[in-house]
Amino acid sequence: MPRVVSLFLPGWPIDRLRRSLGASAPPPDDRLVLVGREGSRRIVTAVSRPAEQAGLRVGMPLTKAHALLPDVLTMPADPVADAAALNRLALWALQHYAPIVAPDPPDGLVIDTTGADHLHGGEERMLTGLVNRLGASGIFARAAIADTWGAAHAAARFCADPVCIIAPGATSDRVAPLPILGLRIPPDIVTGLHVLGFATIGDVLAVPRAPLVLRFGPLLGRRLDQLQGILSEPFDPLRDPELASVRKVFGEPIGAPETIARYTTALVHELCLALEKRGLGARRLDLLFHRVDNSVQAIRVGTAQPVRDEKRLTRLLSDRIETIDPGFGIEIMDLTATLAEPLVLQQAVSSLIEEEQADIAGLVDVIANRIGARRLYRMAPVESDVPERSVHRVAPLAPDDGATWQGRWPRPARLLARPEPIEVMALLPDHPPGAFAWRGVRRLVKRADGPERIFGEWWKRDAELAAVRDYFQVEDASGERFWLFRSGNEQQAASGAGRWFLHGIFA
């Protein structure tokens, strides 16, 4: 089932203006409006949140705005610059979130995330991350996801706070209480519906369609059908002419997987030639399938490093062909390198004494495209004596920075996410435990080694100035080995409570 995201940017022209002006922009708490022309009249085209709270509205004549708020700050609107910036934002979303993205002027984007949300940790994490990333850049946004563009558009503007997720099949129930403005119909139709007593989308859906269409024209009926998914609503994906892209137009629609795979191979060959001319390697490929019913389906694959290997790229794309439903046929295939980076060629092994390095990049790419690149990582050492801070996640093929773990004391193969409290019997505080109970199981210690004393990192937090841990490696009667520690030195209360914890398990 298709899933569509609508991204709403309530203060887009003003947020865009502040970003372009930088330090010289008016403060966020200023009552600022942008002014444009409608015929011979000067009207308000955008309103800052403080000015909106003061009663100013988009479409209001400038003379009325000055009468309501004499000290209002006005600046000229620039619709051309706003549209260009919206296109750049759509290109950013294309490179980071999904292969099918289009501007939704004047203040939004529409993103088809079908089959792409799992790469970002699910729909909720994807929407939250999108809104937060824009907020960190000074762009206020709200986002909603639904089965149709119309439902997502309405929810983003009248329901999202700051995100809204409409479950598959629940479109009608969720959009019913939303205002009629969410239908994307002209203001005169909205006014006419209000005169007739309609206030919400549910009110319009509950009455027979024919009298409304007869009075207000076919647009109202079409919007209602698009909202419910009865009528499809395709949109043209954004494509930047600066991106390396190739296209194949078919005289007769194709649909067989073998035919799609054959033309995929041909497109990859053409794209690699184009990338070679630019000295680039692909990091992300989008293969779009334009069907005869005017809908678009897509395959997105990524690589850990810049790649121009035709066989590898063809394999990654071919593995995803089974997810494409050709319907009544595909008439256009469009392959684009939405993310490309300079490709540095490396010399192969040139002598008998050089050892060939194993190349696992192909395996990493296959796994990452199946489970999501964010879920694939490796652990790397960090210079820290505190065990839980001595590792961090890095990309699978990240270069080695030369850092290593200290080798004086062995470390467990499995380190728990956080130390778990245990019950311990020990002869003296400085002695290793003779027995301990963990997760309801009592274990008798046969062998032990320690203690290894680890101090807190006092230069990071004052609370760790006197913190102490004494670690012991212990082996129980069944041969299992564990990593335990006692907090504190039994002399200073600030060093720890003297409690015992289990922190790791040896292989």
Side-chain angles (χ1 to χ4, degrees):
M1 179 176 291
R3 299 292 282 171
V4 182
V5 170
S6 178
L7 182 68
F8 176 43
L9 311 170
W12 171 244
I14 290 180
D15 290 344
R16 195 276 308 170
L17 181 65
R18 293 189 192 279
R19 284 172 54 84
S20 63
L21 293 178
S24 60
D29 56 350
D30 269 11
R31 297 173 177 180
L32 171 66
V33 299
L34 302 185
V35 181
R37 286 193 174 274
E38 187 179 76
S40 59
R41 296 193 311 160
R42 299 182 68 193
I43 63 170
V44 175
T45 61
V47 184
S48 66
R49 281 180 284 279
E52 185 178 14
Q53 294 171 357
L56 304 190
R57 297 290 182 267
V58 174
M60 177 183 292
L62 182 59
T63 53
K64 184 176 180 180
H66 277 298
L68 293 175
L69 197 63
D71 61 342
V72 64
L73 177 63
T74 63
M75 299 187 72
D78 190 348
V80 176
D82 293 340
L86 192 62
N87 283 338
R88 291 195 297 271
L89 185 63
L91 179 60
W92 170 82
L94 169 71
Q95 294 176 333
H96 290 85
Y97 285 94
I100 303 179
V101 180
D104 186 11
D107 53 10
L109 300 179
V110 55
I111 309 172
D112 188 337
T113 60
T114 306
D117 58 284
H118 73 282
L119 301 176
H120 305 279
E123 292 180 346
E124 184 175 0
R125 292 188 62 182
M126 178 182 64
L127 293 186
T128 303
L130 174 60
V131 170
N132 289 343
R133 291 181 72 174
L134 291 174
S137 300
I139 300 174
F140 178 67
R142 299 201 297 264
I145 185 169
D147 295 338
T148 63
W149 178 6
H153 185 278
R157 282 150 179 80
F158 300 103
C159 182
D161 186 29
V163 301
C164 176
I165 299 176
I166 299 180
T171 298
S172 298
D173 294 337
R174 290 294 302 273
V175 302
L178 302 183
I180 299 175
L181 281 172
L183 289 174
R184 296 175 296 157
I185 51 180
D188 57 333
I189 299 181
V190 174
T191 302
L193 289 171
H194 285 162
V195 170
L196 295 177
F198 296 99
T200 65
I201 295 176
D203 295 339
V204 182
L205 292 173
V207 300
R209 184 75 51 83
L212 295 178
V213 174
L214 184 63
R215 177 161 186 167
F216 297 106
L219 178 61
L220 178 59
R222 185 163 64 250
R223 290 303 191 203
L224 292 174
D225 288 341
Q226 291 171 345
L227 177 78
Q228 297 174 289
I230 301 173
L231 186 65
S232 64
E233 188 178 9
F235 55 89
D236 293 329
L238 173 72
R239 280 296 176 263
D240 190 335
E242 296 184 0
L243 299 177
S245 180
V246 293
R247 167 177 285 207
K248 177 64 178 178
V249 181
F250 303 103
E252 293 290 337
I254 65 172
E258 298 80 5
T259 307
I260 296 175
R262 184 170 67 253
Y263 283 108
T264 298
T265 302
L267 288 174
V268 169
H269 173 72
E270 294 180 21
L271 183 66
C272 287
L273 293 178
L275 291 172
E276 184 177 4
K277 293 180 181 179
R278 304 186 184 190
L280 300 175
R283 285 291 311 277
R284 186 172 293 122
L285 294 181
D286 289 339
L287 180 57
L288 304 187
F289 301 87
H290 300 259
R291 306 195 315 183
V292 295
D293 60 357
N294 206 25
S295 64
V296 181
Q297 295 196 7
I299 291 175
R300 163 165 286 191
V301 298
T303 60
Q305 297 175 335
V307 175
R308 210 162 56 222
D309 185 343
E310 295 182 20
K311 291 184 177 179
R312 184 190 299 183
L313 296 177
T314 301
R315 178 188 176 187
L316 294 176
L317 291 170
S318 298
D319 287 345
R320 302 289 307 280
I321 288 178
E322 61 184 13
T323 64
I324 297 299
D325 178 13
F328 294 105
I330 296 170
E331 56 185 2
I332 300 175
M333 290 175 60
D334 187 353
L335 179 62
T336 304
T338 49
L339 186 61
E341 296 178 357
L343 179 60
V344 180
L345 299 179
Q346 297 181 352
Q347 182 175 343
V349 175
S350 59
S351 69
L352 296 178
I353 61 174
E354 292 186 25
E355 295 185 4
E356 186 175 359
Q357 299 293 327
D359 185 7
I360 63 170
L363 176 62
V364 169
D365 293 341
V366 171
I367 297 176
N369 283 284
R370 289 179 181 175
I371 68 173
R374 297 188 179 185
R375 299 173 61 185
L376 189 64
Y377 58 87
R378 66 179 178 87
M379 306 306 294
V382 178
E383 293 185 0
S384 176
D385 287 334
V386 180
E388 57 265 36
R389 300 176 188 164
S390 62
V391 294
H392 69 148
R393 297 180 180 183
V394 297
L397 300 180
D400 189 0
D401 59 3
T404 59
W405 285 289
Q406 59 176 343
R408 297 190 301 272
W409 292 84
R411 291 292 183 259
R414 178 190 172 195
L415 195 69
L416 301 183
R418 58 183 60 187
E420 298 186 8
I422 56 176
E423 296 180 3
V424 171
M425 291 183 60
L427 294 178
L428 293 173
D430 292 338
H431 285 212
F436 68 94
W438 175 53
R439 295 184 178 178
V441 178
R442 184 176 177 82
R443 302 174 186 271
L444 183 64
V445 175
K446 291 295 185 180
R447 298 178 181 84
D449 190 13
E452 174 194 359
R453 176 158 289 188
I454 294 178
F455 294 92
E457 296 179 336
W458 51 267
W459 57 92
K460 291 184 177 180
R461 292 194 308 168
D462 292 340
E464 298 185 26
L465 185 61
V468 175
R469 291 179 184 175
D470 286 337
Y471 279 87
F472 293 86
Q473 304 169 45
V474 301
E475 181 179 325
D476 67 4
S478 62
E480 295 185 75
R481 299 170 61 230
F482 303 90
W483 206 35
L484 317 178
F485 75 84
R486 182 188 65 244
S487 64
N489 57 14
E490 298 291 338
Q491 297 176 359
Q492 297 175 331
S495 65
R499 299 176 60 193
W500 285 83
F501 297 87
L502 190 147
H503 201 175
I505 302 173
F506 289 91

